[in-house]
Amino acid sequence: MDARIQIVAILAAAGLIVVLLELVRRRRLLERYALLWLFSALVLLGLAVWRGLLEDLASVLGVAYPPNALFLIAFGFVLALLLHFSLAVSRLSDQSKVLAQRLALLEERLGRVSSRPADSESAAERELETSVRD
């Protein structure tokens, strides 16, 4: 691997680590997601620094040019991150649906309670309180 390419790869991986740490510090990136990114960046930095390890890995993978193996590994990490984020989005989507359904039920109960006569207001308040606790 050419020294110029190695320096660029080291600077890019180190820059990614610095950006990730700054995003975590400013609370723009949650720690659980930052760990995945940091692990990926550290592996890429390690492969960029240790030229022999990257060359050995490239020969094992059947890649003729070691920097291409670095891109292949980075692409694999990106695919893993995309899968992880897709799972997180799916889970959040299901949670949003359940929350919207619960909100609709509470609004419907509130509508029933508010349409009752004034003399049964205390019973209606008790019913609303028990439904909110559920």
Side-chain angles (χ1 to χ4, degrees):
M1 177 165 61
D2 187 24
R4 210 171 356 142
I5 294 172
Q6 185 178 14
I7 291 171
V8 169
I10 291 170
L11 290 176
L16 178 61
I17 292 171
V18 169
V19 167
L20 289 171
L21 292 175
E22 183 64 21
L23 288 172
V24 170
R25 187 183 71 80
R26 291 184 182 194
R27 300 194 183 274
R28 305 274 298 166
L29 182 63
L30 294 177
E31 289 86 4
R32 64 179 170 191
Y33 300 126
L35 289 175
L36 293 169
W37 281 105
L38 284 172
F39 175 72
S40 302
L42 287 172
V43 168
L44 293 176
L45 181 63
L47 290 173
V49 169
W50 288 292
R51 187 182 298 190
L53 178 63
L54 182 60
E55 290 171 355
D56 292 342
L57 192 60
S59 66
V60 167
L61 293 174
V63 178
Y65 189 54
N68 286 342
L70 192 63
F71 286 117
L72 180 66
I73 293 166
F75 182 70
F77 278 122
V78 168
L79 284 178
L81 288 167
L82 285 173
L83 177 63
H84 175 75
F85 292 139
S86 295
L87 292 173
V89 167
S90 296
R91 183 176 31 86
L92 290 173
S93 176
D94 287 342
Q95 288 175 353
S96 295
K97 185 173 97 176
V98 168
L99 285 174
Q101 290 170 345
R102 287 184 179 178
L103 177 64
L105 288 172
L106 285 174
E107 286 176 346
E108 189 269 332
R109 286 180 186 167
L110 182 63
R112 276 191 287 139
V113 168
S114 64
S115 66
R116 290 186 180 168
D119 59 344
S120 64
E121 188 171 314
S122 62
E125 287 175 357
R126 284 193 303 270
E127 180 185 342
L128 182 60
E129 287 175 5
T130 58
S131 67
V132 169
R133 276 187 258 140
D134 294 341

